[in-house]
Amino acid sequence: MRAIRTASAALLATAAVALSAPAASAAPAAPAEDGTGRNITSFGFSVTPRTVAPGGTVTLTSDGCEVPSVTVTSGVFDTVTLTEGRPGSATVDADARIGAEYEIAFDCKGERGTTTLTVAPAHTTPPTPPAPLTPHKGVKAGFGGSAGSDALGAAELTAGAALIAGALGTAVVLTRRRAGGRP
């Protein structure tokens, strides 16, 4: 009989702790690839054109970042800061290696998205294929009914209270039956 009470108390304590603790926030995972060599991020970004001659200029854009500036870095041009979602431009180093692909990194409040830029001779720059459409903003996982706060919603609280009440009722019924006092 003591084992049943101990098991019931342990189950009740576990349920109470699980229902009262806020959901743990997950560490940001490495961005996934979309099949074109670009990362899938919660913000959009692009480099136009994707193929350029040494000394040429590229246009850098980003949208959907919740902070006012996005930092763009690469080994083939100086760091550029895009402000308030406005596009910016960068001049590719004149000594960039022809035929090389350089990584372009966009940093939005610590989230990093990358794409590549190909350097080609000026007279044989191939036409740039149209870039795949990117969504305005990515999915914001984990933001539930309380608009992103860590507070539990009414549905969660009601379900938790019902589970606790059910566990308590079951424990009382089982305890009475074991003690011989049937309800």
Side-chain angles (χ1 to χ4, degrees), residues 48-80:
T48 308
R50 301 273 311 260
T51 302
V52 66
T57 301
V58 292
T59 301
L60 308 166
T61 58
S62 73
D63 65 342
C65 186
E66 294 177 357
V67 295
S69 64
V70 173
T71 304
V72 185
T73 56
S74 177
V76 73
F77 56 76
D78 293 333
T79 299
V80 176

Side-chain angles (χ1 to χ4, degrees), residues 33-181:
E33 294 281 330
D34 68 357
T36 63
R38 295 176 5 161
N39 300 123
I40 299 172
T41 59
S42 66
F43 66 100
F45 58 89
S46 66
V47 176
T48 308
R50 301 273 311 260
T51 302
V52 66
T57 301
V58 292
T59 301
L60 308 166
T61 58
S62 73
D63 65 342
C65 186
E66 294 177 357
V67 295
S69 64
V70 173
T71 304
V72 185
T73 56
S74 177
V76 73
F77 56 76
D78 293 333
T79 299
V80 176
T81 301
L82 305 178
T83 307
E84 301 288 335
R86 292 187 201 110
S89 63
T91 302
V92 174
D93 295 340
D95 61 348
R97 194 169 35 117
I98 294 175
E101 284 192 352
Y102 291 90
E103 180 179 81
I104 312 297
F106 291 77
D107 188 316
C108 168
K109 66 177 179 177
E111 182 179 8
R112 186 173 189 258
T114 61
T115 189
T116 57
L117 176 68
T118 304
V119 178
H123 60 338
T124 61
T125 303
T128 304
L133 296 176
T134 57
H136 178 66
K137 279 192 163 186
V139 174
K140 299 228 181 224
F143 283 44
S146 57
S149 73
D150 288 333
L152 293 175
E156 289 89 353
L157 291 175
T158 303
L163 286 171
I164 290 172
L168 286 173
T170 302
V172 168
V173 168
L174 290 176
T175 302
R176 285 188 178 178
R177 282 188 182 170
R178 291 281 184 189

